[in-house]
Amino acid sequence: MTDLALASVASIYRYPVKGLSPEPLPTVALDVGQTLPGDRTFAIENGPIGFDPANPRYFPKIRFLMLMRNERLAALRSRYDAATGELSITRDGTEVVRGDLQTDAGRAAIEQFFAGYCADELRGPPKLLAGQGHSFSDVARKVVSIINLSSVTALEAMIGRPVDPLRFRGNLYVQGWPAWHEFDLMDQTLLIGSARLRIVKRIVRCAATNVDPQTAARDMAIPETLQQNLGHADCGVYAEVIEAGSIAQGDAVQIEQAELFA
């Protein structure tokens, strides 16, 4: 039997640009009611949607370039420097574009690259979007996504092949929970580092998980496999930050006992 007291944060990731590659973090400071800082700060509009940077609001992911439909994005490696505002993108080890996202010229360079790279998948000129304090998350609610690594291992047994946990594009990866234990924690509060997070929603997986994050091959049928074996297509949960604090890789993940026995 797994000792729940041994659960811990195996890794932390954020995705500066929606659909592009992750950035591993050793530690991060969380604010109440917010996503991971810098997570999905930017997105690439696939056809005009009327996004207003001064009054940003949620749009569904199909309005942007994203892995569910644009798997070729997984062949790119991006790096965003928050200090300088510079985004660099490489493919097969060679830089293909670089631009300062704080300048018109820098954003135009990125947009011009995607106009060519995704030419046959565009519904209009691609545009790099950002809004003050906005996150281009898959859900309107400002949440942190949590993936249970034991659940990924259980999925590997169903598929009969290794499954890269990065297919799930989570923020926090937890080790030490039994498979699918995250679903037992709905409405419970987690203590991680000096932060408190409440589990609020299961994550329904889409076809983006079928794309290998290393090769860009659409080589699995993960939602279908989950549905066939478990009767649903869920893997991972969303949590809201209810008390600000810092968390770090290796931090214990505890369940607030008052919530369990109240």
Side-chain angles (χ1 to χ4, degrees), residues 3 9 12-13 21 24 33 37 44-45 54 61 63 67 74 77-78 88 158 166 177 182 184 208-209 225 246:
D3 185 350
V9 177
I12 305 171
Y13 289 93
S21 54
I44 303 161
E45 179 185 65
K61 61 187 174 184
R63 308 307 299 269
L67 286 176
R77 297 293 174 266
S78 58
S88 63
M158 296 174 192
L166 290 181
W177 283 342
E182 64 271 33
D184 298 330
T209 57
T225 299
S246 294

Side-chain angles (χ1 to χ4, degrees), residues 18-257:
K18 186 178 185 68
L20 299 187
S21 54
E23 176 184 358
L25 301 172
T27 185
V28 66
L30 300 178
D31 288 327
V32 174
Q34 299 297 316
T35 63
L36 250 68
D39 189 54
R40 277 83 170 181
T41 296
F42 303 97
I44 303 161
E45 179 185 65
N46 187 2
I49 61 176
F51 181 81
D52 182 0
N55 185 29
R57 64 183 181 91
Y58 168 79
F59 284 90
K61 61 187 174 184
I62 60 171
R63 308 307 299 269
F64 310 103
L65 291 179
M66 44 87 182
L67 286 176
M68 188 177 80
R69 291 187 176 175
N70 315 110
E71 63 262 30
R72 67 185 63 178
L73 297 177
L76 304 174
R77 297 293 174 266
S78 58
R79 184 179 184 278
Y80 177 66
D81 186 332
T84 65
E86 193 167 68
L87 175 69
S88 63
I89 299 176
T90 62
R91 185 181 186 191
D92 298 327
T94 300
E95 184 173 272
V96 292
V97 66
R98 176 183 293 265
D100 182 348
L101 303 190
Q102 301 175 101
T103 68
D104 291 342
R107 291 190 297 272
I110 301 298
E111 292 164 356
Q112 182 177 13
F113 167 75
F114 283 104
Y117 187 67
C118 296
D120 60 341
E121 299 175 334
L122 294 173
R123 297 188 293 266
K127 184 177 181 181
L128 190 76
L129 302 180
Q132 185 63 39
H134 186 67
S135 175
F136 293 93
S137 172
D138 284 352
V139 293
R141 206 167 181 172
K142 290 194 173 182
V143 288
V144 174
S145 59
I146 301 175
I147 304 299
N148 178 1
L149 289 175
S150 293
S151 298
V152 179
T153 300
L155 177 61
E156 289 179 332
M158 296 174 192
I159 293 178
R161 293 172 53 192
V163 175
D164 187 338
L166 290 181
R167 286 178 183 260
F168 299 95
R169 298 177 70 79
N171 296 133
L172 306 182
Y173 288 82
V174 174
Q175 59 189 3
W177 283 342
W180 316 117
H181 179 64
E182 64 271 33
F183 300 149
D184 298 330
L185 301 178
M186 207 56 51
D187 300 320
Q188 302 296 335
T189 298
L190 302 181
L191 308 177
I192 310 176
S194 56
R196 295 169 69 237
L197 300 89
R198 185 181 297 276
I199 306 296
V200 295
K201 192 177 187 299
R202 292 161 63 139
I203 304 176
V204 182
R205 307 318 313 200
C206 71
T209 57
N210 295 337
V211 179
D212 187 317
Q214 306 305 322
T215 68
R218 194 177 291 274
D219 60 355
M220 288 188 181
I222 286 177
E224 295 85 350
T225 299
L226 290 168
Q227 188 67 49
Q228 290 166 6
N229 285 269
L230 302 177
H232 60 73
D234 304 347
C235 185
V237 290
Y238 287 122
E240 285 184 337
V241 180
I242 59 174
E243 184 173 316
S246 294
I247 63 174
Q249 185 177 6
D251 276 351
V253 177
Q254 299 175 301
I255 302 167
E256 191 169 79
Q257 295 301 307

